[in-house]
Structure formats: C-alpha cells, structure tokens
Amino acid sequence: MHYYIIVKEIEYCIMKVRPDDRESFEKHYQGKILFEAESIAELLVKFSEKLNDKTLSRMN
C-alpha cells in the first residue's frame, strides 16, 4: 500500500492506495498531492514536520 495526503477543497485527506492503482491515482490528483509515503506513520511524520516548520517560521 501507498499513502497520500491530498487537498480536497479546504480539507486535508489521507488516502490509502493499492500499488496497482498508484499511477492512475497520481495522475488524477496531480497538483493536489502534498505528501506520499509507504506507511501511515511515515506520512504523518512528514506532515507534522512540515507543520512544525511553518509554525516555527511564523514565530520568527
């Protein structure tokens, strides 16, 4: 499985995609994919790191 965080309108969505659907998924959501990973844990770490970076930059 492969996991993605995408933007749908004004919300973030976590999507779980089978390997055989990955190429068509990426084409369909091109430009809306924020993060991708091979595990949900890895995906959430990437997302939280980005949030922390944005929060810290606002504080400076």
Side-chain angles (χ1 to χ4, degrees):
M1 292 295 181
H2 211 75
Y3 299 86
Y4 296 87
I5 293 181
I6 63 169
V7 176
K8 276 191 165 179
E9 297 177 21
I10 60 169
E11 299 177 332
Y12 295 111
C13 296
I14 296 175
M15 307 292 281
K16 180 178 175 181
V17 179
R18 293 183 303 201
D20 52 326
D21 294 331
R22 188 173 169 193
E23 188 176 329
S24 63
F25 176 86
E26 288 178 353
K27 284 181 185 176
H28 184 0
Y29 287 104
Q30 186 176 12
K32 294 183 179 186
I33 297 172
L34 299 178
F35 300 99
E36 61 180 283
E38 293 186 17
S39 73
I40 191 74
E42 181 185 358
L43 184 70
L44 294 174
V45 166
K46 288 180 178 183
F47 185 65
S48 66
E49 286 174 347
K50 188 66 169 182
L51 288 178
N52 285 337
D53 289 347
K54 285 184 179 182
T55 301
L56 290 175
S57 68
R58 287 184 193 154
M59 295 174 81
N60 292 331

